[in-house]
Amino acid sequence: MKKGILIALLLAGLAMAEELPKGPGVDLVYAKCQICHDLTYPLQNAGLSEADWEGIVDDMIDYGAPINEEERAVIIKYLATYLGPNPPPAEEAAAAETTATVDGKAAYAANCAGCHQAEGQGVPGAFPPLKGNPVLVKDATYPALVVLFGLQGQIEVNGAAYNGAMPPLGHLDDATV
Ligand code: HEC
Ligand code: HEC
């Protein structure tokens, strides 16, 4: 692995880590609400009522956020509770990592497909493909580091250049990563 890339992604993680309060639905917010902007907007709006969050989420859907009916309900419930007018006290960190086997396909769909697309094909100029991307077969360490710490700066995948920012997804447990 190239040292420069490693350093760039560690810096990206430090610069961008924005943590949401833990609670049911938080993974969906990390996955769906960083596709177009970072989490500053939702975090700055903490305290809004359920009706206000509903309006915001519907605006985001109008802007093109890939959120279905079921996900919409979970996201609004999360935002109205944890970024709502009366947030509950912070949850204790999970005592023990689950050893349950993770459904990798479902984990991909929930956490990655919003940007890298359902088949891993990516979006030209915005989100690099994971399917057919040589970095994914070369070494499992690099993809795991990107997931944990994010990635920023110019990369090249199969001859195409990308210069975006992937947010760190360090809230995912080890088994899911
Ligand atoms: C398809 C792209 C897209 C996605 C995905 C997206 N947003 Fe936005 N969001 C926008 C745009 C565009 C704006 C307006 C930006 C501006 O005014 O500078 C915005 C602005 C906001 C604002 C500021 C208030 C406002 O209405 O302008 C909040 C809060 C917000 N988004 C929350 C969210 C949340 C929560 C999610 C996840 C459910 C989300 N966004 C997902 C595109 C998106
Ligand atoms: C919010 C959008 C977003 C989400 C969600 C996301 N990524 Fe990314 N990912 C990106 C962007 C943008 C880049 C390219 C960053 C750059 O240009 O430096 C990237 C880059 C990568 C890379 C590096 C590719 C390379 O060729 O160096 C890997 C690996 C990766 N993502 C894996 C994942 C996995 C696995 C998930 C789910 C756990 C995921 N990503 C979720 C936006 C996202």
PDB file of all heavy atoms in Angstrom, residues 82-110:
ATOM      1  N   TYR A  82     -33.105  11.618  18.579  1.00  0.00           N
ATOM      2  CA  TYR A  82     -31.727  11.881  19.026  1.00  0.00           C
ATOM      3  C   TYR A  82     -31.246  13.279  18.650  1.00  0.00           C
ATOM      4  O   TYR A  82     -30.342  13.820  19.283  1.00  0.00           O
ATOM      5  CB  TYR A  82     -30.790  10.786  18.497  1.00  0.00           C
ATOM      6  CG  TYR A  82     -31.139   9.461  19.123  1.00  0.00           C
ATOM      7  CD1 TYR A  82     -32.043   8.584  18.513  1.00  0.00           C
ATOM      8  CD2 TYR A  82     -30.629   9.113  20.375  1.00  0.00           C
ATOM      9  CE1 TYR A  82     -32.402   7.391  19.107  1.00  0.00           C
ATOM     10  CE2 TYR A  82     -30.978   7.922  20.979  1.00  0.00           C
ATOM     11  CZ  TYR A  82     -31.873   7.065  20.346  1.00  0.00           C
ATOM     12  OH  TYR A  82     -32.232   5.895  20.955  1.00  0.00           O
ATOM     13  N   LEU A  83     -31.843  13.883  17.613  1.00  0.00           N
ATOM     14  CA  LEU A  83     -31.548  15.286  17.296  1.00  0.00           C
ATOM     15  C   LEU A  83     -32.837  16.090  17.439  1.00  0.00           C
ATOM     16  O   LEU A  83     -33.075  17.068  16.731  1.00  0.00           O
ATOM     17  CB  LEU A  83     -30.968  15.421  15.883  1.00  0.00           C
ATOM     18  CG  LEU A  83     -29.635  14.699  15.617  1.00  0.00           C
ATOM     19  CD1 LEU A  83     -29.147  14.953  14.197  1.00  0.00           C
ATOM     20  CD2 LEU A  83     -28.549  15.117  16.608  1.00  0.00           C
ATOM     21  N   GLY A  84     -33.682  15.644  18.349  1.00  0.00           N
ATOM     22  CA  GLY A  84     -34.968  16.284  18.569  1.00  0.00           C
ATOM     23  C   GLY A  84     -34.930  17.211  19.773  1.00  0.00           C
ATOM     24  O   GLY A  84     -33.864  17.476  20.327  1.00  0.00           O
ATOM     25  N   PRO A  85     -36.112  17.698  20.183  1.00  0.00           N
ATOM     26  CA  PRO A  85     -36.171  18.671  21.278  1.00  0.00           C
ATOM     27  C   PRO A  85     -35.788  18.089  22.643  1.00  0.00           C
ATOM     28  O   PRO A  85     -35.293  18.813  23.494  1.00  0.00           O
ATOM     29  CB  PRO A  85     -37.643  19.118  21.298  1.00  0.00           C
ATOM     30  CG  PRO A  85     -38.350  18.376  20.217  1.00  0.00           C
ATOM     31  CD  PRO A  85     -37.417  17.418  19.566  1.00  0.00           C
ATOM     32  N   ASN A  86     -36.003  16.784  22.835  1.00  0.00           N
ATOM     33  CA  ASN A  86     -35.692  16.167  24.133  1.00  0.00           C
ATOM     34  C   ASN A  86     -34.862  14.901  23.956  1.00  0.00           C
ATOM     35  O   ASN A  86     -35.342  13.804  24.196  1.00  0.00           O
ATOM     36  CB  ASN A  86     -36.984  15.787  24.879  1.00  0.00           C
ATOM     37  CG  ASN A  86     -37.785  17.012  25.245  1.00  0.00           C
ATOM     38  OD1 ASN A  86     -37.294  17.894  25.928  1.00  0.00           O
ATOM     39  ND2 ASN A  86     -39.022  17.063  24.758  1.00  0.00           N
ATOM     40  N   PRO A  87     -33.598  15.037  23.554  1.00  0.00           N
ATOM     41  CA  PRO A  87     -32.817  13.818  23.291  1.00  0.00           C
ATOM     42  C   PRO A  87     -32.583  13.031  24.576  1.00  0.00           C
ATOM     43  O   PRO A  87     -32.383  13.636  25.639  1.00  0.00           O
ATOM     44  CB  PRO A  87     -31.494  14.354  22.726  1.00  0.00           C
ATOM     45  CG  PRO A  87     -31.424  15.772  23.155  1.00  0.00           C
ATOM     46  CD  PRO A  87     -32.831  16.263  23.333  1.00  0.00           C
ATOM     47  N   PRO A  88     -32.638  11.697  24.512  1.00  0.00           N
ATOM     48  CA  PRO A  88     -32.353  10.887  25.687  1.00  0.00           C
ATOM     49  C   PRO A  88     -30.871  10.960  26.028  1.00  0.00           C
ATOM     50  O   PRO A  88     -30.074  11.333  25.167  1.00  0.00           O
ATOM     51  CB  PRO A  88     -32.734   9.464  25.244  1.00  0.00           C
ATOM     52  CG  PRO A  88     -32.615   9.480  23.758  1.00  0.00           C
ATOM     53  CD  PRO A  88     -32.903  10.887  23.316  1.00  0.00           C
ATOM     54  N   PRO A  89     -30.486  10.627  27.277  1.00  0.00           N
ATOM     55  CA  PRO A  89     -29.057  10.633  27.622  1.00  0.00           C
ATOM     56  C   PRO A  89     -28.290   9.672  26.721  1.00  0.00           C
ATOM     57  O   PRO A  89     -28.860   8.684  26.246  1.00  0.00           O
ATOM     58  CB  PRO A  89     -29.033  10.162  29.074  1.00  0.00           C
ATOM     59  CG  PRO A  89     -30.409   9.729  29.420  1.00  0.00           C
ATOM     60  CD  PRO A  89     -31.338  10.223  28.379  1.00  0.00           C
ATOM     61  N   ALA A  90     -27.020   9.975  26.474  1.00  0.00           N
ATOM     62  CA  ALA A  90     -26.200   9.158  25.564  1.00  0.00           C
ATOM     63  C   ALA A  90     -26.208   7.698  25.995  1.00  0.00           C
ATOM     64  O   ALA A  90     -26.109   7.397  27.182  1.00  0.00           O
ATOM     65  CB  ALA A  90     -24.779   9.687  25.540  1.00  0.00           C
ATOM     66  N   GLU A  91     -26.323   6.832  25.016  1.00  0.00           N
ATOM     67  CA  GLU A  91     -26.337   5.394  25.305  1.00  0.00           C
ATOM     68  C   GLU A  91     -24.942   4.912  25.665  1.00  0.00           C
ATOM     69  O   GLU A  91     -23.964   5.380  25.127  1.00  0.00           O
ATOM     70  CB  GLU A  91     -26.801   4.614  24.066  1.00  0.00           C
ATOM     71  CG  GLU A  91     -28.253   4.237  24.118  1.00  0.00           C
ATOM     72  CD  GLU A  91     -28.688   3.563  22.814  1.00  0.00           C
ATOM     73  OE1 GLU A  91     -27.982   2.632  22.374  1.00  0.00           O
ATOM     74  OE2 GLU A  91     -29.715   3.977  22.271  1.00  0.00           O
ATOM     75  N   GLU A  92     -24.903   3.935  26.571  1.00  0.00           N
ATOM     76  CA  GLU A  92     -23.634   3.277  26.880  1.00  0.00           C
ATOM     77  C   GLU A  92     -23.112   2.621  25.615  1.00  0.00           C
ATOM     78  O   GLU A  92     -23.885   2.110  24.820  1.00  0.00           O
ATOM     79  CB  GLU A  92     -23.868   2.167  27.917  1.00  0.00           C
ATOM     80  CG  GLU A  92     -24.533   2.633  29.187  1.00  0.00           C
ATOM     81  CD  GLU A  92     -23.534   3.255  30.147  1.00  0.00           C
ATOM     82  OE1 GLU A  92     -22.469   2.634  30.345  1.00  0.00           O
ATOM     83  OE2 GLU A  92     -23.799   4.354  30.663  1.00  0.00           O
ATOM     84  N   ALA A  93     -21.793   2.627  25.457  1.00  0.00           N
ATOM     85  CA  ALA A  93     -21.214   1.900  24.324  1.00  0.00           C
ATOM     86  C   ALA A  93     -21.548   0.423  24.491  1.00  0.00           C
ATOM     87  O   ALA A  93     -21.604  -0.086  25.610  1.00  0.00           O
ATOM     88  CB  ALA A  93     -19.704   2.091  24.301  1.00  0.00           C
ATOM     89  N   ALA A  94     -21.794  -0.249  23.390  1.00  0.00           N
ATOM     90  CA  ALA A  94     -22.135  -1.670  23.438  1.00  0.00           C
ATOM     91  C   ALA A  94     -21.071  -2.415  24.240  1.00  0.00           C
ATOM     92  O   ALA A  94     -19.883  -2.255  24.004  1.00  0.00           O
ATOM     93  CB  ALA A  94     -22.235  -2.229  22.033  1.00  0.00           C
ATOM     94  N   ALA A  95     -21.497  -3.206  25.210  1.00  0.00           N
ATOM     95  CA  ALA A  95     -20.566  -3.858  26.124  1.00  0.00           C
ATOM     96  C   ALA A  95     -19.670  -4.842  25.391  1.00  0.00           C
ATOM     97  O   ALA A  95     -18.457  -4.852  25.563  1.00  0.00           O
ATOM     98  CB  ALA A  95     -21.332  -4.558  27.235  1.00  0.00           C
ATOM     99  N   ALA A  96     -20.258  -5.659  24.593  1.00  0.00           N
ATOM    100  CA  ALA A  96     -19.462  -6.685  23.910  1.00  0.00           C
ATOM    101  C   ALA A  96     -19.804  -6.662  22.432  1.00  0.00           C
ATOM    102  O   ALA A  96     -20.941  -6.461  22.048  1.00  0.00           O
ATOM    103  CB  ALA A  96     -19.774  -8.050  24.497  1.00  0.00           C
ATOM    104  N   GLU A  97     -18.787  -6.831  21.628  1.00  0.00           N
ATOM    105  CA  GLU A  97     -19.013  -6.946  20.187  1.00  0.00           C
ATOM    106  C   GLU A  97     -19.798  -8.224  19.939  1.00  0.00           C
ATOM    107  O   GLU A  97     -19.515  -9.255  20.531  1.00  0.00           O
ATOM    108  CB  GLU A  97     -17.666  -7.049  19.468  1.00  0.00           C
ATOM    109  CG  GLU A  97     -16.882  -5.752  19.481  1.00  0.00           C
ATOM    110  CD  GLU A  97     -17.083  -4.950  18.196  1.00  0.00           C
ATOM    111  OE1 GLU A  97     -17.173  -5.581  17.127  1.00  0.00           O
ATOM    112  OE2 GLU A  97     -17.164  -3.723  18.288  1.00  0.00           O
ATOM    113  N   THR A  98     -20.771  -8.140  19.076  1.00  0.00           N
ATOM    114  CA  THR A  98     -21.487  -9.366  18.762  1.00  0.00           C
ATOM    115  C   THR A  98     -20.591 -10.264  17.918  1.00  0.00           C
ATOM    116  O   THR A  98     -19.802  -9.794  17.116  1.00  0.00           O
ATOM    117  CB  THR A  98     -22.767  -9.090  17.962  1.00  0.00           C
ATOM    118  OG1 THR A  98     -22.449  -8.174  16.922  1.00  0.00           O
ATOM    119  CG2 THR A  98     -23.856  -8.543  18.827  1.00  0.00           C
ATOM    120  N   THR A  99     -20.723 -11.548  18.137  1.00  0.00           N
ATOM    121  CA  THR A  99     -19.959 -12.479  17.322  1.00  0.00           C
ATOM    122  C   THR A  99     -20.854 -13.060  16.233  1.00  0.00           C
ATOM    123  O   THR A  99     -20.431 -13.881  15.447  1.00  0.00           O
ATOM    124  CB  THR A  99     -19.385 -13.632  18.173  1.00  0.00           C
ATOM    125  OG1 THR A  99     -20.444 -14.138  18.984  1.00  0.00           O
ATOM    126  CG2 THR A  99     -18.256 -13.152  19.055  1.00  0.00           C
ATOM    127  N   ALA A 100     -22.105 -12.600  16.216  1.00  0.00           N
ATOM    128  CA  ALA A 100     -23.039 -13.091  15.214  1.00  0.00           C
ATOM    129  C   ALA A 100     -22.471 -12.847  13.816  1.00  0.00           C
ATOM    130  O   ALA A 100     -21.795 -11.856  13.577  1.00  0.00           O
ATOM    131  CB  ALA A 100     -24.367 -12.377  15.361  1.00  0.00           C
ATOM    132  N   THR A 101     -22.726 -13.761  12.915  1.00  0.00           N
ATOM    133  CA  THR A 101     -22.243 -13.554  11.551  1.00  0.00           C
ATOM    134  C   THR A 101     -23.056 -12.436  10.909  1.00  0.00           C
ATOM    135  O   THR A 101     -24.250 -12.289  11.142  1.00  0.00           O
ATOM    136  CB  THR A 101     -22.374 -14.836  10.703  1.00  0.00           C
ATOM    137  OG1 THR A 101     -23.654 -15.390  10.927  1.00  0.00           O
ATOM    138  CG2 THR A 101     -21.286 -15.829  11.053  1.00  0.00           C
ATOM    139  N   VAL A 102     -22.366 -11.644  10.126  1.00  0.00           N
ATOM    140  CA  VAL A 102     -22.990 -10.493   9.484  1.00  0.00           C
ATOM    141  C   VAL A 102     -23.325 -10.868   8.049  1.00  0.00           C
ATOM    142  O   VAL A 102     -22.544 -11.529   7.375  1.00  0.00           O
ATOM    143  CB  VAL A 102     -22.011  -9.299   9.529  1.00  0.00           C
ATOM    144  CG1 VAL A 102     -22.503  -8.164   8.659  1.00  0.00           C
ATOM    145  CG2 VAL A 102     -21.810  -8.842  10.954  1.00  0.00           C
ATOM    146  N   ASP A 103     -24.488 -10.448   7.595  1.00  0.00           N
ATOM    147  CA  ASP A 103     -24.864 -10.641   6.197  1.00  0.00           C
ATOM    148  C   ASP A 103     -24.189  -9.522   5.394  1.00  0.00           C
ATOM    149  O   ASP A 103     -24.631  -8.387   5.405  1.00  0.00           O
ATOM    150  CB  ASP A 103     -26.396 -10.564   6.091  1.00  0.00           C
ATOM    151  CG  ASP A 103     -26.886 -10.688   4.653  1.00  0.00           C
ATOM    152  OD1 ASP A 103     -26.052 -10.594   3.723  1.00  0.00           O
ATOM    153  OD2 ASP A 103     -28.096 -10.872   4.473  1.00  0.00           O
ATOM    154  N   GLY A 104     -23.089  -9.870   4.747  1.00  0.00           N
ATOM    155  CA  GLY A 104     -22.268  -8.864   4.076  1.00  0.00           C
ATOM    156  C   GLY A 104     -23.019  -8.132   2.981  1.00  0.00           C
ATOM    157  O   GLY A 104     -22.852  -6.923   2.793  1.00  0.00           O
ATOM    158  N   LYS A 105     -23.879  -8.856   2.285  1.00  0.00           N
ATOM    159  CA  LYS A 105     -24.623  -8.226   1.194  1.00  0.00           C
ATOM    160  C   LYS A 105     -25.577  -7.161   1.748  1.00  0.00           C
ATOM    161  O   LYS A 105     -25.676  -6.054   1.212  1.00  0.00           O
ATOM    162  CB  LYS A 105     -25.409  -9.311   0.438  1.00  0.00           C
ATOM    163  CG  LYS A 105     -25.964  -8.826  -0.866  1.00  0.00           C
ATOM    164  CD  LYS A 105     -26.612  -9.948  -1.652  1.00  0.00           C
ATOM    165  CE  LYS A 105     -27.191  -9.380  -2.943  1.00  0.00           C
ATOM    166  NZ  LYS A 105     -27.917 -10.411  -3.705  1.00  0.00           N
ATOM    167  N   ALA A 106     -26.238  -7.519   2.868  1.00  0.00           N
ATOM    168  CA  ALA A 106     -27.158  -6.559   3.487  1.00  0.00           C
ATOM    169  C   ALA A 106     -26.377  -5.374   4.059  1.00  0.00           C
ATOM    170  O   ALA A 106     -26.816  -4.225   3.967  1.00  0.00           O
ATOM    171  CB  ALA A 106     -27.970  -7.246   4.579  1.00  0.00           C
ATOM    172  N   ALA A 107     -25.203  -5.661   4.642  1.00  0.00           N
ATOM    173  CA  ALA A 107     -24.390  -4.578   5.211  1.00  0.00           C
ATOM    174  C   ALA A 107     -23.935  -3.637   4.104  1.00  0.00           C
ATOM    175  O   ALA A 107     -23.925  -2.417   4.274  1.00  0.00           O
ATOM    176  CB  ALA A 107     -23.179  -5.165   5.950  1.00  0.00           C
ATOM    177  N   TYR A 108     -23.587  -4.186   2.957  1.00  0.00           N
ATOM    178  CA  TYR A 108     -23.190  -3.351   1.813  1.00  0.00           C
ATOM    179  C   TYR A 108     -24.373  -2.480   1.367  1.00  0.00           C
ATOM    180  O   TYR A 108     -24.226  -1.269   1.175  1.00  0.00           O
ATOM    181  CB  TYR A 108     -22.683  -4.216   0.643  1.00  0.00           C
ATOM    182  CG  TYR A 108     -22.380  -3.351  -0.555  1.00  0.00           C
ATOM    183  CD1 TYR A 108     -21.153  -2.696  -0.658  1.00  0.00           C
ATOM    184  CD2 TYR A 108     -23.341  -3.117  -1.536  1.00  0.00           C
ATOM    185  CE1 TYR A 108     -20.889  -1.834  -1.713  1.00  0.00           C
ATOM    186  CE2 TYR A 108     -23.089  -2.259  -2.597  1.00  0.00           C
ATOM    187  CZ  TYR A 108     -21.862  -1.622  -2.683  1.00  0.00           C
ATOM    188  OH  TYR A 108     -21.625  -0.757  -3.716  1.00  0.00           O
ATOM    189  N   ALA A 109     -25.540  -3.125   1.236  1.00  0.00           N
ATOM    190  CA  ALA A 109     -26.721  -2.385   0.764  1.00  0.00           C
ATOM    191  C   ALA A 109     -27.041  -1.235   1.716  1.00  0.00           C
ATOM    192  O   ALA A 109     -27.376  -0.129   1.291  1.00  0.00           O
ATOM    193  CB  ALA A 109     -27.918  -3.327   0.629  1.00  0.00           C
ATOM    194  N   ALA A 110     -26.907  -1.492   3.022  1.00  0.00           N
ATOM    195  CA  ALA A 110     -27.288  -0.478   4.008  1.00  0.00           C
ATOM    196  C   ALA A 110     -26.255   0.639   4.120  1.00  0.00           C
ATOM    197  O   ALA A 110     -26.617   1.791   4.314  1.00  0.00           O
ATOM    198  CB  ALA A 110     -27.482  -1.137   5.375  1.00  0.00           C
TER     199      ALA A 110
END
